[in-house]
Amino acid sequence: MTSTYTVTGMTCGHCVSSVSEEVGAVAGVTDVRVDLASGLLTVETDGGVDDAAIVAAVREAGYDVASAS
């Protein structure tokens, strides 16, 4: 299952790494891709991950989610 989110507040490669690391640690996440320019976060899961867990991981990294789809 693929979900996309728009992350706000990222300004550099370190931001991308932080978001990738936190989201990648969520149980059930199989792949994470972050595009700094667009703020787009693409998350591949095994189907059992709640959006709230992804949003919480992004916030733990110090950023916010503007939208999810």
Side-chain angles (χ1 to χ4, degrees):
M1 183 173 168
T2 302
S3 300
T4 57
Y5 306 84
T6 302
V7 178
T8 59
M10 295 188 302
T11 59
C12 64
H14 178 72
C15 300
V16 170
S17 295
S18 295
V19 170
S20 296
E21 184 177 323
E22 289 293 337
V23 173
V26 174
V29 171
T30 58
D31 187 45
V32 178
R33 291 182 304 280
V34 182
D35 181 73
L36 178 61
S38 66
L40 191 65
L41 165 65
T42 305
V43 181
E44 298 279 341
T45 66
D46 61 10
V49 178
D50 185 38
D51 281 341
I54 302 300
V55 171
V58 170
R59 289 186 176 147
E60 181 67 27
Y63 307 96
D64 206 3
V65 174
S67 65
S69 59

